[in-house]
Every structure is written in structure tokens, then in C-alpha cells.
Amino acid sequence: VSAISNMLSRIGEKPEITDNHDKIDNSDFIILPGVGSFDRAIKNLEDKDLLSILNKKISDNTKILGICLGMQILCNGSEEGTKRGFGVFDVECKSFETKNSSKIFIGWSDIKIIEQINDFRFMNNNKFYFLHKYYFPINKDYTIGISDNDLNFSSFVKKNNIFGVQFHPEKSHNYGINFFKNFLNLK
């Protein structure tokens, strides 16, 4: 979370890390960070009574960016757990794991943008940092960008004003800075 805040500060934003309902309700955009497990993330939101305010912001079509697990909790659910996600994306996240491997995708990878949105062309074939074991399957209704880890998966998704990225822009150096600048400038 602090890495996201630091990167946003570097580009002139004044991010606020909060679980305060009024501050969230008055936000122009929300970033859902992603570290941890699916069920634990949903449980943390339940424990802090944040599900209702986040559902309200989703219904209000507030600009929201889910990063890694933050993107996955915007889906219906995940093979990683049993809790339900927000259901913005009508998708179940899948595991890279096979019966012969407990595969984790870690490292730098290209992104191929398959649908051009404003100024996101710069992302084509640039390297972004990934660290995940579960993935968002390619979906014709939501997938904007794809990456590869022995299979193609969604690395950038969108529905209305809700976005999700599987990579970590806050750990992707100049590519991440450019991504945040472009994301924040979307109208």
C-alpha cells in the first residue's frame, strides 16, 4: 500500500490510505491494492465494514482500480478461496497450479493491449512486474490487455469505470509511473 502511495505522490497526487466511510464516499477514485489471499482480503473488508461503501462506489460508477488481488476481488470469486467477490466482473479467477506444479508467476512480462483505450497504447510490449498464483481468464467482455505464463491471461481488464490490473504498477518503475499518469487522466 505504501509503495502505491509513494508512486502516486511522485506524480503529484495526494493519496490517502483510509478505511473511513465518509472519505471513501467522497473519493474521485479508489485503488484496491492486492497482497494476500482472496478470502482474507474479503474478510478484512467485512471486518472493517467496507463492503457496503465499496459496493455503493461501484454502483455510482466511481473510477476504481484493482491491483493484483485487488482486481481479483472485483470478480465473482476465485479458486483460491470460498468467499464471494464483488461480482463486477462475471468471472472466477483460476490457479496456474497443476497437479505437477505449484506454479507462481513472478517477474517481468510484456502486456499486449488488445483494445485501445485513450492513451494506453504505451503499454504494448512494455514490461510490468507480476507476482501471482491465480489469474483472470481472458474474457471478451472485459479483457483489454493480455500477458503470458505458459497460457494467456488477462493482465488488464475494464468494465465501465472499473479497471483491474494483474501486474503491480507500483513495482514497475517508469512503466508504472506512466500507467498511473494515464489511469488518473482518464475521463
Side-chain angles (χ1 to χ4, degrees):
V1 175
S2 61
I4 296 169
S5 180
N6 290 339
M7 186 166 275
L8 291 172
S9 294
R10 283 182 62 191
I11 62 173
E13 294 296 322
K14 294 179 175 67
E16 184 168 2
I17 301 167
T18 186
D19 58 6
N20 179 286
H21 282 235
D22 291 333
K23 289 180 179 183
I24 293 169
D25 198 28
N26 291 314
S27 297
D28 294 329
F29 69 90
I30 296 170
I31 296 177
L32 298 172
V35 175
S37 67
F38 194 94
D39 282 359
R40 175 171 255 156
I42 296 296
K43 175 93 169 75
N44 286 341
L45 293 173
E46 289 170 346
D47 290 348
K48 294 181 179 188
D49 194 30
L50 293 175
L51 293 178
S52 61
I53 189 65
L54 290 172
N55 274 315
K56 178 186 181 300
K57 296 303 278 184
I58 289 166
S59 294
D60 291 347
N61 203 31
T62 299
K63 189 183 336 180
I64 297 175
L65 172 64
I67 296 175
C68 196
L69 177 61
M71 173 184 80
Q72 293 179 10
I73 66 172
L74 291 168
C75 298
N76 290 335
S78 173
E79 288 181 351
E80 183 178 21
T82 59
K83 290 200 172 279
R84 301 306 302 154
F86 284 96
V88 171
F89 301 108
D90 188 18
V91 168
E92 296 284 327
C93 293
K94 305 291 184 193
S95 174
F96 286 125
E97 186 175 321
T98 65
K99 60 182 173 181
N100 299 322
S101 161
S102 62
K103 193 180 249 184
I104 295 174
F105 185 25
I106 184 169
W108 294 84
S109 183
D110 294 341
I111 293 176
K112 179 181 177 193
I113 299 297
I114 58 175
E115 180 185 320
Q116 297 301 331
I117 296 178
N118 293 343
D119 295 322
F120 283 101
R121 286 182 188 89
F122 79 93
M123 291 176 66
N124 262 327
N125 300 314
N126 283 330
K127 300 272 188 198
F128 290 86
Y129 183 76
F130 290 79
L131 174 58
H132 60 111
K133 186 174 180 176
Y134 296 86
Y135 67 93
F136 187 123
I138 294 174
N139 182 290
K140 67 179 179 57
D141 295 326
Y142 312 124
T143 302
I144 296 169
I146 59 174
S147 294
D148 178 56
N149 180 34
D150 294 334
L151 64 87
N152 287 330
F153 63 91
S154 298
S155 51
F156 189 13
V157 296
K158 176 186 185 294
K159 179 180 178 185
N160 302 324
N161 222 15
I162 314 284
F163 298 81
V165 293
Q166 187 61 66
F167 57 91
H168 288 272
E170 76 279 12
K171 296 180 181 185
S172 297
H173 307 295
N174 289 335
Y175 299 124
I177 289 172
N178 287 336
F179 173 81
F180 278 125
K181 285 180 182 176
N182 281 274
F183 174 74
L184 295 172
N185 287 325
L186 282 175
K187 298 296 180 215

